[in-house]
Amino acid sequence: MDENETFSPEEEMLLNKFVTNSASDVFALKNLPEVIKGALFSRYSRSKLGLKRLLLKEFVLGEDESQFKEICALKEGDDHQQMLAITKAQNFYDRILDGYGDDSIGELGGAHIAMENISMLAAKVVQDCRIGGSPLEKSARYVYFDQKVNGAYRYLREPKIMNSPYGKSYESCLDHLFETYSALIPPLTEQLKKSFPQAEGQSSGAYTAALRAKVLDCLRGLLPAATLTNVGFFGNGRFYEALIHKLNAHPLSEMQKLGLDSNRELAKVIPSFVRRSDIDHHTDQGYRLFSSELKEGLKRATEMFVPPYTPTEGRSVKLIESDENAIESVVAALLYEECNMPLEEIKKIAKKLSEEEKEEILHSACAPRKMRRHKSPRALEHIFFTFDLSADFGIYRDLQRHRTLTQERQRLTTDLGYYIPEEILGTDMERPYREAMARAKSCFEEIQKSFPLEAQYVVPLAYNIRWYFKINLRALQWLTELRSAAAGHPSYRWVAQEMARQVSEKLPQLRRFFHFVDYEGHSLGRMEQEVRKERKRSLLL
């Protein structure tokens, strides 16, 4: 703590209500609403005072002392009290903050929000917003989706489709997908028990959990994109504003409703952070106009300049671009921190180095790594790769969550074929699986004629989707080493392995940076992880 920053005993008593340590230079805030924390930190950036002194002077004991006390004391009450609380907090925040920042002040407060009973398609839309938010989605490999609620399977009854002549066929098709999913759980479980029997001395709990994950990994491809799921978020205000703008501007009605609902609920806890995303606010209206014109312009350009194309069915991972001077770029960046010369000059030196000298520098950057969680230097971010991928939507759902990269996907269709797990091939289960896929394709193609966007809800997760990743070497190292781990889904393990393999073949000097990529096959991949969990639980008892 600054030697001049001293507090009287009375001030320390007040501070201790709101900070974890009034005597240290490092402390956390407590017992303060998001609106106060946001206002405090925004003011902090333009004050010579320390945060604790600022909190006392301008908030706890300042001109707004009475209002500060009222806001901090607000608790759950009736609707009228809640509305007064929201208005009071918003007015307080706006008055203090409007003169103290720009869009970045939206990052000074945050909230948790749950989005329940949204489609898997909607879950991907909300997770597209990458910066400032941390999502967690209900897992299709740990949770059975065969339950009915009030006699109905849990999928979105899309309003446009349900109110059209396609309504009955849509519902019949999706019911059939869920019925097939449910019917195949018992026989597949029995088959896998025979193929991978429980080993002597193996924990029954770990074996059961690993077996369940294997069964659901195989069958999740039958679930349609309309399947209802839950997503939880923690995010800052700036993230939520951008997310709601995007949802409000989306052409699908589910996303628009999700935007309205999210704005309404977040306005109850962080009102000023999301005020500009209200549909009546000129900022949101401007964003919707921008988004509409952008989509229309790109659609016209595509129709004008891109000829018809018949896609090839099947999965693929293709490295289509990489930096020409990749090795020299990363070598120069590795040397930069210990030098005192401009990067441009270091790059000239790097180009003149022999292959052996470059290898020595690269080796020094990866030799200390003993596990994948040891992050490589940021110098690896100087190399970029672009991959064009075609794989089932289930894989995309898993890999899309990696946010430190540039990615874009195409619309869900049934044009690229579908994936069928090898555990189902050649068994009595193959026929009903394929029949369900064929029926979904027929239903999709029929609905697509009138509702091309809404038809996406019919597409099962097993059907392939095309997307691209533009990713730097450091992020690729993390993605491939994480997603190739034994506990992962076999399909996305294959994608991760392919990405690492293709980069290593194109630039062999970089192979060393994929040391912890697991290229092995694993029967019950989650077994080891479940055994560790059982061991931890036993130690806690």
Side-chain angles (χ1 to χ4, degrees):
M1 185 173 67
D2 191 311
E3 61 182 4
N4 296 319
E5 190 86 306
T6 57
F7 301 100
S8 68
E10 293 78 12
E11 288 175 328
E12 285 195 3
M13 284 184 63
L14 286 172
L15 281 172
N16 285 331
K17 296 178 183 178
F18 306 114
V19 300
T20 56
N21 192 328
S22 61
S24 172
D25 283 332
V26 179
F27 55 94
L29 296 178
K30 63 180 183 178
N31 302 325
L32 289 171
E34 294 300 313
V35 64
I36 297 294
K37 289 187 281 189
L40 173 62
F41 269 95
S42 182
R43 182 70 182 89
Y44 182 42
S45 68
R46 300 193 180 190
S47 173
K48 64 181 181 180
L49 300 176
L51 191 73
K52 292 186 289 254
R53 177 59 66 189
L54 187 66
L55 175 61
L56 286 173
K57 181 181 178 182
E58 298 196 12
F59 292 80
V60 181
L61 302 174
E63 293 179 4
D64 290 299
E65 175 186 355
S66 61
Q67 200 165 127
F68 170 83
K69 288 180 178 178
E70 286 183 62
I71 294 172
C72 288
L74 287 172
K75 296 180 179 179
E76 291 294 327
D78 60 33
D79 291 343
H80 178 66
Q81 289 175 319
Q82 284 300 305
M83 289 306 298
L84 288 177
I86 294 168
T87 302
K88 186 184 290 288
Q90 184 163 349
N91 290 339
F92 179 89
Y93 184 90
D94 293 346
R95 186 169 63 255
I96 292 179
L97 287 188
D98 279 347
Y100 289 104
D102 50 24
D103 286 349
S104 63
I105 63 174
E107 298 176 10
L108 299 176
H112 288 85
I113 189 171
M115 299 177 179
E116 298 189 347
N117 299 314
I118 66 173
S119 71
M120 288 186 172
L121 184 62
K124 294 301 100 184
V125 173
V126 297
Q127 290 176 28
D128 278 339
C129 294
R130 302 174 295 162
I131 308 302
S134 300
L136 194 64
E137 184 180 351
K138 181 178 178 180
S139 173
R141 72 181 321 208
Y142 303 118
V143 179
Y144 291 103
F145 280 77
D146 59 336
Q147 303 88 352
K148 289 184 177 181
V149 175
N150 298 324
Y153 287 114
R154 301 187 69 252
Y155 60 82
L156 180 74
R157 271 72 179 174
E158 206 290 321
K160 276 189 181 180
I161 298 176
M162 295 304 293
N163 293 323
S164 76
Y166 306 113
K168 288 185 178 180
S169 61
Y170 174 83
E171 205 162 17
S172 175
C173 176
L174 269 61
D175 279 348
H176 183 249
L177 285 167
F178 275 89
E179 287 163 1
T180 306
Y181 172 89
S182 302
L184 294 186
I185 290 174
L188 181 58
T189 302
E190 289 306 309
Q191 175 181 297
L192 291 176
K193 280 183 179 178
K194 294 176 182 177
S195 301
F196 310 108
Q198 184 177 350
E200 185 177 348
Q202 200 170 57
S203 162
S204 294
Y207 176 76
T208 300
L211 185 68
R212 181 184 65 238
K214 184 74 171 177
V215 170
L216 296 184
D217 277 349
C218 292
L219 297 180
R220 74 175 187 180
L222 287 161
L223 299 174
T227 302
L228 296 181
T229 185
N230 300 331
V231 180
F233 274 100
F234 177 76
N236 63 46
R238 190 175 189 175
F239 163 78
Y240 284 125
E241 180 185 312
L243 172 60
I244 297 170
H245 282 323
K246 181 175 182 179
L247 292 171
N248 288 345
H250 202 282
L252 287 171
S253 61
E254 183 192 12
M255 313 310 166
Q256 295 169 19
K257 181 179 184 301
L258 191 54
L260 292 173
D261 291 348
S262 299
N263 179 273
R264 181 192 66 229
E265 299 308 316
L266 287 166
K268 297 175 182 178
V269 289
I270 50 172
S272 293
F273 292 98
V274 295
R275 60 177 178 165
R276 295 191 302 187
S277 61
D278 187 283
I279 59 168
D280 293 326
H281 196 283
H282 67 87
T283 301
D284 189 72
Q285 292 170 351
Y287 184 88
R288 278 180 279 145
L289 178 62
F290 153 74
S291 180
S292 175
E293 292 179 348
L294 177 64
K295 289 180 185 299
E296 285 301 314
L298 292 176
K299 182 179 179 181
R300 287 195 303 270
T302 303
E303 291 170 350
M304 289 173 60
F305 303 117
V306 179
Y309 176 76
T310 302
T312 303
E313 293 189 1
R315 301 192 302 179
S316 65
V317 175
K318 187 174 182 180
L319 174 62
I320 62 172
E321 286 181 347
S322 61
D323 297 343
E324 291 184 7
N325 300 314
I327 304 303
E328 288 79 8
S329 293
V330 74
V331 165
L334 286 168
L335 298 174
Y336 183 81
E337 184 179 358
E338 299 297 328
C339 293
N340 64 353
M341 64 175 62
L343 181 61
E344 184 179 15
E345 296 301 317
I346 304 174
K347 283 189 173 185
K348 293 177 182 177
I349 294 172
K351 286 183 179 181
K352 296 178 181 178
L353 294 174
S354 68
E355 292 304 313
E356 291 76 14
E357 289 168 333
K358 292 175 188 175
E359 290 277 355
E360 183 178 345
I361 295 168
L362 294 173
H363 177 74
S364 68
C366 70
R369 291 185 78 221
K370 300 298 185 293
M371 59 187 299
R372 67 172 178 83
R373 294 188 183 278
H374 291 164
K375 301 288 185 69
S376 289
R378 289 197 177 275
L380 272 64
E381 297 175 12
H382 282 250
I383 306 177
F384 282 88
F385 305 96
T386 303
F387 293 90
D388 190 67
L389 304 103
S390 173
D392 66 76
F393 187 47
I395 294 177
Y396 175 78
R397 290 177 67 250
D398 293 313
L399 297 181
Q400 182 238 16
R401 296 201 301 267
H402 291 269
R403 295 185 287 280
T404 53
L405 51 81
T406 299
Q407 57 180 300
E408 190 63 88
R409 64 178 176 273
Q410 295 178 351
R411 192 179 300 169
L412 280 177
T413 73
T414 57
D415 296 342
L416 299 173
Y418 61 85
Y419 169 72
I420 181 166
E422 61 182 38
E423 291 82 0
I424 290 175
L425 286 170
T427 71
D428 292 340
M429 295 175 283
E430 181 176 353
R431 182 175 178 180
Y433 189 100
R434 291 193 182 278
E435 286 175 349
M437 290 296 148
R439 185 169 175 179
K441 180 178 177 65
S442 177
C443 183
F444 167 81
E445 290 175 345
E446 187 67 21
I447 295 175
Q448 185 184 216
K449 297 173 185 176
S450 301
F451 303 111
L453 292 178
E454 287 77 8
Q456 294 178 93
Y457 286 109
V458 178
V459 180
L461 301 190
Y463 271 97
N464 294 323
I465 181 176
R466 180 174 283 120
W467 77 96
Y468 74 75
F469 278 167
K470 186 175 181 66
I471 185 169
N472 66 55
L473 176 59
R474 190 167 184 252
L476 182 65
Q477 180 187 60
W478 174 259
L479 186 155
T480 55
E481 292 185 343
L482 172 66
R483 294 303 180 185
S484 67
H489 190 286
S491 293
Y492 72 59
R493 291 190 68 240
W494 171 77
V495 171
Q497 291 162 353
E498 271 301 300
M499 294 172 82
R501 186 180 290 114
Q502 290 185 28
V503 169
S504 297
E505 288 176 357
K506 186 173 181 64
L507 296 168
Q509 304 97 314
L510 302 182
R511 190 185 306 274
R512 54 173 50 85
F513 292 111
F514 300 104
H515 179 73
F516 296 104
V517 171
D518 186 348
Y519 291 101
E520 299 298 322
H522 299 274
S523 53
L524 287 182
R526 285 203 56 81
M527 180 57 71
E528 184 180 340
Q529 192 165 353
E530 294 298 337
V531 168
R532 287 200 302 270
K533 285 169 61 178
E534 285 279 308
R535 190 178 298 121
K536 287 180 181 178
R537 277 195 291 265
S538 66
L539 291 174
L540 292 174
L541 295 177

